[in-house]
Amino acid sequence: MSKAPFYKVFIGKDTPTDISDFVESFKFEDCVGEDSMVTITLYPEKVIAFQDKFNKLTGTLLTFEFGYLGVESSGFRKARITDTSRNYAERITVTITALTHGTVMRKSSGNKVWTNKTTKEILSEIAQNYDLTVESPINGRLHKSLPQKNLSDWEFIQQLVAKEDNGDYI
C-alpha cells in the first residue's frame, strides 16, 4: 500500500479560509533548538486572489495539517505569518513564511506577576495569547504570587508544569 501525502492550510482566525487548493508546495521544518517554520508557495494562477491582501497577511494566523492519508497526521498546528514574498521572474510566485506558535512562545517573554491563580488558569491565559487551549484534568496549585521573571512563555510554562505532581497530564 502506498502512502499518499496530504496537507490542509487555512488562513485567518475567526472564519478561516481554506487555501489548500492554492498551495503548490508545502515545507515544514520542525526544529528543537531553532525556529520551527512552515513555508508555502502558491500556484501562479491563484496568486491574483492574494494581490490585495499581501500587506495585510503578516501577523495573520495560519493553521495547517500534513501527513499521509489514512496512515498518520500531524494534527492541526498553528503559526503566525511572518513574511510574504513575491517573485515576478519567469512566472509569478508568492511564498508565505510563518513561525509556529511554539517558536513564538520561546521568543516572547514577560515580567508579569501571577496573583491568586491556579496553574491551569495561568496556562489558559498564556495559551489564549497564541490562540491555543489548555486540556488538563487538574487545576494544579494555587499560586499566591508567582513572577514570570522575564522567562519566555515557553520556559515559564515548562517550569510551571514541572512543579505539578501530575504535570505529565497537563
Side-chain angles (χ1 to χ4, degrees), residues 74-139:
S74 66
F76 281 103
R77 297 176 180 223
K78 296 184 179 193
R80 288 264 175 231
I81 295 175
T82 56
D83 187 39
T84 58
S85 61
R86 295 165 284 217
N87 184 349
Y88 296 102
E90 273 183 42
R91 62 184 203 137
I92 300 170
T93 59
V94 173
T95 303
I96 298 171
T97 306
L99 293 176
T100 63
H101 279 202
T103 296
V104 176
M105 288 176 80
R106 287 185 194 103
K107 293 187 175 197
S108 54
S109 60
N111 278 323
K112 184 169 183 167
V113 176
W114 302 89
T115 308
N116 293 322
K117 300 255 185 195
T118 65
T119 297
K120 187 174 182 177
E121 289 172 329
I122 294 170
L123 294 175
S124 295
E125 202 170 312
I126 292 171
Q128 264 184 336
N129 295 334
Y130 302 97
D131 300 313
L132 300 172
T133 56
V134 173
E135 293 182 16
S136 172
I138 62 170
N139 286 325

Side-chain angles (χ1 to χ4, degrees), residues 8-26:
K8 293 295 283 178
V9 182
F10 301 87
I11 289 182
K13 180 179 175 186
D14 298 326
T15 53
T17 303
D18 184 351
I19 64 162
S20 302
D21 291 339
F22 292 40
V23 177
E24 180 180 46
S25 69
F26 177 92

Side-chain angles (χ1 to χ4, degrees), residues 26-43:
F26 177 92
K27 179 180 168 187
F28 177 66
E29 296 179 44
D30 191 10
C31 302
V32 176
E34 298 179 25
D35 295 344
S36 295
M37 60 184 0
V38 61
T39 305
I40 299 165
T41 303
L42 304 179
Y43 283 113

